[in-house]
Amino acid sequence: MKFYENGDGLTEPRGFFCSGIHCDVKGKKDGKLDLGIIYSSKPCHAAAVFTTNDVKAAPVRYSQNLIQDPEATYHAIVANSGNANACTGKQGEMDAIKMANETARHLKVQPTQVFVCSTGRIGVTLPMSKITVGIRDASEDVLEGFDGAKAFQEAILTSDTCTKSCAAVLTTPYGEICIGGVVKGAGMIEPNMATMLAFLTTDAKASNNYLQNVLQKAVNQSFNRITIDGDMSTNDSVIMLANGNCGIEVSTEDESLDHSFQKAVEAICQCLAKKCVTDGEKVTKFVSVKIQGALSNEDAEKVGRCVSNSLLVKSSWYGSDPNWGRIVDAAGYAKVGLVFEKIDMFYDDVAALRKGEPVHNNKTQWKEIVSQSAFSITLDLNQGTGEAEIWSNDLSEEYVNFNKSE
């Protein structure tokens, strides 16, 4: 597998086109791109995973309904930033439908073949007169074959500081399969999932059911393993489109190809998830929290999330303070029955605790490690074989200043 950590992303697979335009969703007249379309003239099979929040935005509910049909095909995704169309009542539901209808009208497809996504401020209705004009312009661009991969990436950003994309190429006995991906997300990032929109495209051929199984597994090993600030959003969506343009069908019948495809999708999702964490709002450090030796994987994940979401722990990371006491305290309130006297802990590969006893001679090295922009923390509970890994970051005073008002 060849892997590309940047680039055009979604338009790397054959037959996909993107656009991104400015329609002034927020009314600032700043020229920021804020609406985009992903399009394939060839019908696509699809899979999608959405937020588990009880409060779901109108476009999430709309798109969830579309993905229920195992035989359905799709042509496009329309997405806007600057306004989440969440908690907007019946008007919000009608606006999500209108976004699909307008996109379908210009692309000459069915509304049920268009997914709708939004991201931005909650509780404000969309400026639909601007949105409809934007959809018209964005549709014209993809129909003309406009090279708008980068423009689409910019159009979905909110508080992100950069675009995030990647691609993978699988060489198979039948030819090459390409998979591309992009993501936006910088705040309200918590597993299951985040204030995040992620889109994947592939020129492979596959059924909806197969793609759903592949995507769900990949999401569980990536986007459901990140946390920035412990908040869960209303609009989180991961959508994958497969148009079959390479002529290679992927299914469980070919075990080798199935395995390679699954690993490639997982690699795409993991790359994008890590990019979200490193671009978290006012973040200065990327921290991998690894839990080993738990009684079960579920217990390990509980411990990892408690450590990764602790405000005290995240604040100490920002201050480059190797405060292992805060870490084991957070691990303890996961309430999985860990025994402190059994715990081994490491900053990268440098021991901090051995069977609950501090290794004070390594204190200088602890400080050096947590002063870096990226490091790992490993807790071995020495109780079983359960393990988990969570990708997190620090918490700065700049985060509070940034989020104290919208």
Side-chain angles (χ1 to χ4, degrees):
M1 176 176 67
K2 296 178 182 178
F3 198 85
Y4 306 92
E5 290 205 6
N6 294 293
D8 290 341
L10 296 177
T11 57
E12 298 286 356
R14 285 157 281 194
F16 285 98
F17 298 91
C18 290
S19 60
I21 58 93
H22 167 69
C23 63
D24 201 27
V25 171
K26 297 179 76 171
K28 292 187 174 182
K29 297 179 179 170
D30 55 6
K32 179 186 181 297
L33 304 185
D34 52 13
L35 186 141
I37 289 175
I38 306 166
Y39 171 68
S40 168
S41 61
K42 189 172 183 178
C44 301
H45 286 108
V49 181
F50 300 97
T51 181
T52 58
N53 196 328
D54 284 344
V55 180
K56 294 178 174 65
V60 169
R61 291 196 294 271
Y62 176 85
S63 295
Q64 277 184 312
N65 287 334
L66 294 189
I67 205 68
Q68 299 303 312
D69 184 353
E71 303 301 324
T73 59
Y74 311 88
H75 280 279
I77 302 169
V78 59
N80 75 274
S81 62
N83 187 313
N85 192 14
C87 306
T88 45
K90 292 182 179 179
Q91 185 61 51
E93 303 288 342
M94 291 189 292
D95 289 345
I97 294 171
K98 187 171 180 61
M99 286 182 68
N101 287 343
E102 286 294 298
T103 305
R105 181 169 69 87
H106 289 292
L107 297 179
K108 294 180 173 56
V109 299
Q110 296 301 311
T112 53
Q113 295 178 308
V114 179
F115 290 102
V116 179
C117 295
S118 299
T119 182
R121 187 165 186 169
I122 295 171
V124 181
T125 55
L126 287 168
M128 287 307 295
S129 60
K130 296 178 179 179
I131 293 285
T132 53
V133 172
I135 288 173
R136 179 201 66 194
D137 294 343
S139 298
E140 288 178 357
D141 284 346
V142 293
L143 289 174
E144 292 174 2
F146 175 69
D147 184 12
K150 292 292 187 181
F152 179 85
Q153 292 175 34
E154 291 181 20
I156 60 174
L157 302 183
T158 50
S159 57
D160 309 65
T161 66
C162 62
T163 59
K164 308 170 187 69
S165 64
C166 60
V169 178
L170 289 178
T171 301
T172 79
Y174 321 105
E176 287 188 344
I177 293 175
C178 187
I179 307 167
V182 304
V183 71
K184 66 78 50 184
M188 292 179 77
I189 298 288
E190 160 66 18
N192 297 316
M193 286 178 303
T195 179
M196 183 193 76
L197 301 181
F199 305 111
L200 284 75
T201 59
T202 180
D203 48 23
K205 180 181 179 181
S207 69
N208 290 344
N209 286 338
Y210 174 80
L211 290 171
Q212 188 65 42
N213 185 53
V214 168
L215 185 63
Q216 185 66 67
K217 287 180 179 178
V219 166
N220 286 339
Q221 296 301 317
S222 57
F223 298 119
N224 284 351
R225 289 288 180 268
I226 65 176
T227 180
I228 288 178
D229 49 19
D231 278 313
M232 182 187 296
S233 180
T234 55
N235 291 62
D236 321 320
S237 304
V238 182
I239 301 175
M240 182 175 186
L241 299 178
N243 66 7
N245 258 0
C246 73
I248 303 170
E249 183 166 5
V250 186
S251 71
T252 55
E253 293 181 6
D254 187 328
E255 292 185 8
S256 178
L257 182 56
D258 172 34
H259 177 76
S260 297
F261 186 78
Q262 174 72 66
K263 288 299 180 184
V265 174
E266 186 176 303
I268 292 283
C269 290
Q270 288 184 346
C271 177
L272 296 177
K274 289 178 179 179
K275 287 185 180 213
C276 280
V277 177
T278 55
D279 191 36
E281 289 172 352
K282 308 308 175 182
V283 159
T284 69
K285 296 178 182 177
F286 175 90
V287 185
S288 177
V289 178
K290 304 174 183 179
I291 310 300
Q292 301 173 352
L295 292 174
S296 67
N297 290 343
E298 292 75 17
D299 283 356
E301 185 175 335
K302 287 180 184 177
V303 174
R305 292 195 185 203
C306 284
V307 172
S308 299
N309 282 326
S310 166
L311 299 184
L312 283 174
V313 170
K314 292 164 81 72
S315 297
S316 67
W317 291 340
Y318 175 68
S320 299
D321 179 9
N323 195 327
W324 59 261
R326 291 183 178 181
I327 293 170
V328 295
D329 170 66
Y333 60 65
K335 299 180 181 179
V336 299
L338 61 80
V339 179
F340 176 69
E341 289 76 16
K342 292 184 177 182
I343 294 177
D344 295 330
M345 178 180 158
F346 303 85
Y347 291 105
D348 285 349
D349 58 354
V350 176
L353 296 175
R354 291 284 191 185
K355 298 298 183 288
E357 292 290 337
V359 186
H360 291 297
N361 291 341
N362 292 339
K363 190 172 183 179
T364 301
Q365 291 175 271
W366 306 342
K367 177 71 174 179
E368 291 174 354
I369 290 168
V370 299
S371 297
Q372 299 171 162
S373 60
F375 60 90
S376 66
I377 290 172
T378 302
L379 281 175
D380 191 336
L381 309 186
N382 289 303
Q383 292 180 308
T385 59
E387 59 183 12
E389 183 173 351
I390 304 293
W391 302 319
S392 188
N393 50 22
D394 59 344
L395 179 67
S396 66
E397 60 263 35
E398 286 84 0
Y399 174 87
V400 177
N401 290 329
F402 185 77
N403 283 287
K404 63 187 179 183
S405 173
E406 284 190 292

